Amino acid sequence: MEKDSFCLQTPLPMTDYSPRKFIREMRDTKESSDVSDNNMKVSVEEQRHSEIAEGTNLDQLTNEKTQATVSGTVATPQNTCTTNLRGVFAVRGSHASAAVVPSDNKCFKTAAFIRLTSHGVNLKVPKTLKPCCCSADSKSDFFSVTPSYNSDVDYLGESTKGDLNVKLEHLEAFGIDGHSALKGPIEEVARSEARQAQDLLKDLGIPSPYSSRNSPRGIFCSRTLNLRSISAIGYDMDYTLIHYNVMAWEGRAYDYCMENLRNMGFPVDGLAFDPDLVIRGLVIDKEKGNLVKADRFGYVKRAMHGTKMLSTRAVSEMYGRELVDLRKESRWEFLNTLFSVSEAVAYMQMVDRLDDGTIPADLGPLDYKGLYKAVGKALFWAHVEGRLKSEIMSKPELFVEPDPELPLALLDQKEAGKKLLLITNSDYHYTDKMMRHSFNRFLPNDMGWRDLFDIVIVSARKPEFFQMSHPMYEVVTGEGLMRPCFKAQTGGLYSGGCAQMVENSLGIHGDEILYVGDHIYTDVSQSKVHLRWRTALICRELEEEYNALIGSRSYRESLVELINQKEVVGDLFNQLRLALQRRSRDRPAQTLAATNMNDEDLTDSMQKLLIVMQRLDKKIAPMLEADGELFNTRWGFLSRAGLWDKSHLMRQIEKYADIYTSRVSNFLNYTPFMYFRSQEQNLAHDSYTYYCSQVNNQRAS
């Protein structure tokens, strides 16, 4: 019997058995039975993760390529041999139980429902199953997978490709009517089953994906995505599969950039790399030498000239009539990725040098746009000349932050039938060195990083890889020698080419492919715009921002309370002002009471209210400026622009990334079959409709 096959041998009357009840029985049995009869050692996913975190080799953890929930060994008194076990759910009637089945081709006689813990436990095996002969493909006896040619779309518009279907003819062979087994209104059935599912997940020690979503390492959904319908998953490498220490990697890039600027004649003495000076998602204004943060509409909310933050008034005067338009590439430069940090820091520091007149005149007349070109050229040569990458390749441990869980996430996807692709702009030698360092030590002994991927493409030249056709070359030797080719093959290593070649080689296109990267434009935007691939953005800073938002909750609540108080006071002040205006024109005020109000009382009330609002303004203004300081003292939160609005970065993410998360290994908290649903999007009038419904309910009662 195949290791990943299902076996359903259930002559037991389980129609009145719930998983919760079964687990309680097992607990009682464990307490009252002699555990020496049948000893079962259960290792769970939590234990696997802890071993990985300690650097344990995964050979023993990944030998059994299965999607089963329970693994262990059982020894029978009559037979000293051990049999690898795997837990599967057997569904009959309206409830589910579990059976333990052997992973080899031998028959079995006993089965039990195992309660998972984070340590090995010994449980009595209380149930007996009939001997059986299982075929190597017994899974197909019970379920069928919806193929691409027979797929449909569900009520959310997602493809049903890859969905499992129960074979009713098999249930009927056991005398089960699949349609009538779950009797009653579906609302009641679903409520009961959902409650039992939550209890069972808790007893199995498996976190719900919905609880994972409410954590710094959740996967957040902008557009509904059915992973079951995804046939291939492509990955970028730098800052996606491999995360660099920003201070180390970008710090060295900055150092090489400054060295090149010095050689060009620029004054760089006394400057040092400051990663807190900028954050991802800001925009460089090359005409004015500014760095700005815009909201989702393109209005500038904060700005910095050189390394000095501008006041709110200065920002309003400078950008009050302008919008950030990223299509005007000659002026605006969006910081898409963490690779942009070193360039932005160097540029803003050199703006200060240009303003104070220390840049020599023999460099020619320089404006802010020309200065940006000079800094970009210096950084470009820092990458091209090879010294930076050679230093990183010689000591990768100083620059790479390892993620031992990442190989498990990719193994789950590969074993679920997904084609895995690596598409990176890095060259072959750098890619091989970095991937060996980051992956091989966490893979089983007989696996290398290349074994994970069906196709590897280096020097891809993104975004042109998604936009146009380029020649493809096969890398045929370890030294990087190449030969021309016209079609990629499974297991191949290639240089260049284009996305259409990948689609044609795999026989899959468009929304059957999910691409995962850290660059909003190069990875996410262009693959979606030109190919309609599904997309996922990796943004490591989300973890820090999530925790900062949690830590700022009470602060933001106090700020919102002050703003609400000013709104109430302001509403009254405006009504009194309108009443005064109408009365001065010998017209009645809004109401009879307002019309008959004494003039002195009216003006006194307005004066007091105005003083209160002015004092509130003095309190609110600095609090708004300080909002987000837990994430970055200059720019506030990554995803926010102001107290309530979204940043321009967040708008780009929502527009182009179907899902986004902080790291690839977060997929471990879900499954390769996850159905990600986007959340309700709040509209401006939602609060009013909610308020009206509450009022109507109160009136009805």
Side-chain angles (χ1 to χ4, degrees), residues 296 556 559-560 563-564 624 627 640-646:
R296 55 182 167 148
R556 290 169 68 86
L559 179 55
V560 170
I563 292 175
N564 290 339
L624 278 175
D627 182 43
R640 305 290 202 277
L643 184 61
W644 286 296
D645 212 350
K646 300 173 184 176

Side-chain angles (χ1 to χ4, degrees), residues 347-473:
Y347 175 63
M348 302 316 294
Q349 291 175 340
M350 294 310 299
V351 166
D352 286 342
R353 295 293 165 98
L354 180 62
D355 288 343
D356 61 24
T358 57
I359 294 181
D362 57 2
L363 290 177
L366 276 178
D367 57 8
Y368 297 121
K369 188 176 292 187
L371 181 62
Y372 178 80
K373 290 181 180 179
V375 173
K377 181 179 179 181
L379 187 61
F380 173 78
W381 282 111
H383 288 279
V384 170
E385 61 191 3
R387 287 189 299 156
L388 174 59
K389 286 193 173 181
S390 295
E391 179 179 345
I392 295 169
M393 291 170 65
S394 65
K395 296 181 179 179
E397 66 278 2
L398 300 181
F399 299 92
V400 176
E401 295 182 357
D403 189 345
E405 294 180 326
L406 206 158
L408 264 185
L410 268 61
L411 279 172
D412 281 346
Q413 294 171 357
K414 187 175 183 65
E415 292 167 1
K418 313 295 185 187
K419 302 289 186 181
L420 296 188
L421 318 171
L422 176 60
I423 305 173
T424 175
N425 282 355
S426 294
D427 61 73
Y428 164 69
H429 294 290
Y430 184 80
T431 299
D432 185 57
K433 181 67 176 181
M434 292 295 102
M435 293 296 289
R436 284 177 182 270
H437 172 78
S438 301
F439 274 71
N440 284 11
R441 53 182 163 156
F442 302 120
L443 288 169
N445 289 332
D446 59 345
M447 284 188 70
W449 71 269
R450 286 280 306 280
D451 298 319
L452 284 172
F453 298 95
D454 294 85
I455 295 177
V456 175
I457 298 178
V458 298
S459 303
R461 297 176 65 180
K462 296 177 294 182
E464 292 182 4
F465 181 84
F466 301 116
Q467 300 168 342
M468 59 188 70
S469 179
H470 286 293
M472 177 180 284
Y473 300 89

